Amino acid sequence: MTEQAGKPLVVALMGPTASGKTAAALAIARDIPSEIISVDSALVYRGMDVGTAKPNAAELAEVPHHLIDILDPREAYSAMQFREDALQLAGEILGRGKLPLLVGGTMLYFRALQDGLDDLPQADPAVRARLDLEAEEIGYPALHARLATLDPETAARLKPNDSQRIQRALEIIELTRQPMSALLSGRRKLELPFSLLPLALEPSDRGVLHTRIAARFELMLADKKNGLIAEVEQLRARGDLHLGLPSMRCVGYRQAWEYLDGLYGYEEMREKGIAATRQLAKRQLTWLRSMPDRIVVDPLENGSTDTLLRKIKHFRLDPSRASSH
């Protein structure tokens, strides 16, 4: 939890898919004047409503929402762009005397906001291709030995057969003439202009979460006229979208697209979609467990929304007491 005296409060409401984040955020906003900043890499796209479980028109009208429907599915949105947008929006919302509610499940975005991102060079296909050829000739243990002479700190963290990370570390040295360890240690810790209260909706029963995920995906498929398949058919009909785009790789959309391509039947598509969504939830929970400062609330418990409100109000009155109530 990042709390500094005198700084305004911003709440981060995190959780896996189907954990009830939207309903909880709306309930908070009914009690505390708020505006919602979406922290979701899929909700940014226009025309992708069903498969993303986008808030409906009534929900969007009830509370101001931000970073929803801001991009065409052809476009890409980065964690760094999110950080810039979220910082600006939070400042504007605070200026209006309201509580900024960061709500979503794209954990990389939360991490980017709180910690910033490493200023490392983008991948270079030519350098990677050459390293791949070298690896075929001499093997990754030999490349690891080379890395140990150039960047012993990074090499010490990696196993000799960790091909992806060894390649990345050698690529960075070639592109920057500096070891990756030096670049990482030189990263300046970015201080937020507000106190961030990280609340995590984590269901105590994973089986209940899995049941919710399956039921929600079934509901997305149930409406033949306005459901997920019809939505993906409309996206395909544009003619300028493909599975290589970040938007079409979103859970549910990839499976529906491949089903329409004839790669497998309806039942297999349904099973694959549910399985992929459950895997997404598992990754989200793994990210959450790596955030030691988060305050966990079980959405399956009666009164979980009251618990969230109580923690926010206690934090506003006395930040040091927030985790004890």
Side-chain angles (χ1 to χ4, degrees):
M1 179 170 21
T2 58
E3 184 279 316
Q4 294 87 22
K7 288 190 174 182
L9 173 66
V10 172
V11 171
L13 183 59
M14 308 173 286
T17 184
S19 59
K21 297 182 295 295
T22 296
L26 290 172
I28 292 169
R30 292 183 192 114
D31 193 282
I32 302 171
S34 309
E35 295 187 28
I36 293 171
I37 301 173
S38 171
V39 189
D40 191 301
S41 59
L43 293 186
V44 296
Y45 293 114
R46 293 187 290 271
M48 295 174 59
D49 303 333
V50 179
T52 62
K54 191 171 290 179
N56 60 39
E59 291 168 335
L60 291 172
E62 183 178 354
V63 179
H65 285 68
H66 304 276
L67 301 187
I68 292 178
D69 289 339
I70 61 171
L71 291 181
D72 184 86
R74 288 171 300 181
E75 300 174 284
Y77 192 64
S78 69
M80 185 55 75
Q81 184 63 55
F82 166 80
R83 188 178 199 277
E84 294 173 3
D85 290 343
L87 285 172
Q88 180 179 338
L89 286 164
E92 293 171 355
I93 294 166
L94 288 167
R96 291 191 281 270
K98 294 184 178 180
L99 173 68
L101 281 176
L102 291 152
V103 182
T106 301
M107 301 306 165
L108 178 61
Y109 287 7
F110 282 116
R111 181 67 58 84
L113 177 66
Q114 188 161 8
D115 298 335
L117 294 169
D118 296 317
D119 187 19
L120 300 177
Q122 292 187 343
D124 186 306
V127 172
R128 291 197 167 189
R130 188 169 65 254
L131 289 169
D132 281 338
L133 286 174
E134 284 193 71
E136 289 179 12
E137 293 176 4
I138 63 176
Y140 270 101
L143 290 181
H144 182 266
R146 180 194 301 172
L147 179 64
T149 65
L150 299 171
D151 185 357
E153 185 178 335
T154 298
R157 294 191 293 105
L158 305 180
K159 294 181 180 178
N161 61 352
D162 192 342
S163 58
Q164 184 176 351
R165 291 183 174 86
I166 293 169
Q167 182 191 66
R168 178 60 173 156
L170 289 171
E171 175 189 42
I172 286 169
I173 291 170
E174 183 162 342
L175 293 174
T176 67
R177 306 301 177 191
Q178 296 183 73
M180 185 167 72
S181 57
L183 294 174
L184 293 177
S185 63
R187 185 180 76 179
R188 181 171 55 88
K189 178 68 176 178
L190 299 168
E191 187 173 304
L192 292 172
F194 46 74
S195 294
L196 187 66
L197 177 62
L199 300 173
L201 288 176
E202 298 180 32
S204 55
D205 187 335
R206 191 73 61 89
V208 174
L209 181 63
H210 286 178
T211 299
R212 283 187 178 184
I213 287 170
R216 190 168 74 171
F217 196 74
E218 297 273 13
L219 196 60
M220 290 176 182
L221 296 174
D223 189 336
K224 303 303 181 185
K225 186 177 180 181
N226 299 303
L228 177 60
I229 300 302
E231 186 170 74
V232 176
E233 285 176 333
Q234 290 178 348
L235 293 166
R236 285 165 60 94
R238 288 177 35 155
D240 61 345
L241 303 178
H242 54 84
L243 284 180
L245 294 168
S247 59
M248 294 301 102
R249 291 200 300 268
C250 290
V251 167
Y253 289 88
R254 174 190 286 276
Q255 290 76 24
W257 189 291
E258 290 176 342
Y259 160 68
L260 292 171
D261 272 344
L263 266 62
Y264 33 74
Y266 182 87
E267 283 304 314
E268 188 176 357
M269 177 273 296
R270 183 183 63 81
E271 291 172 5
K272 284 180 176 290
I274 292 171
T277 311
R278 287 174 175 170
Q279 283 298 313
L280 170 62
K282 182 179 179 181
R283 292 194 299 272
Q284 291 168 320
L285 287 166
T286 299
W287 269 90
L288 285 168
R289 285 193 292 270
S290 73
M291 299 177 179
D293 290 338
R294 78 195 190 284
I295 298 170
V296 177
V297 174
D298 184 358
L300 304 182
E301 285 187 357
N302 290 330
S304 60
T305 300
D306 291 337
T307 302
L308 292 170
L309 280 165
R310 188 169 66 250
K311 290 184 182 296
I312 293 170
K313 291 174 179 178
H314 283 169
F315 187 89
R316 288 175 124 183
L317 292 171
D318 180 359
S320 65
R321 292 168 45 190
S323 60
S324 62
H325 286 262

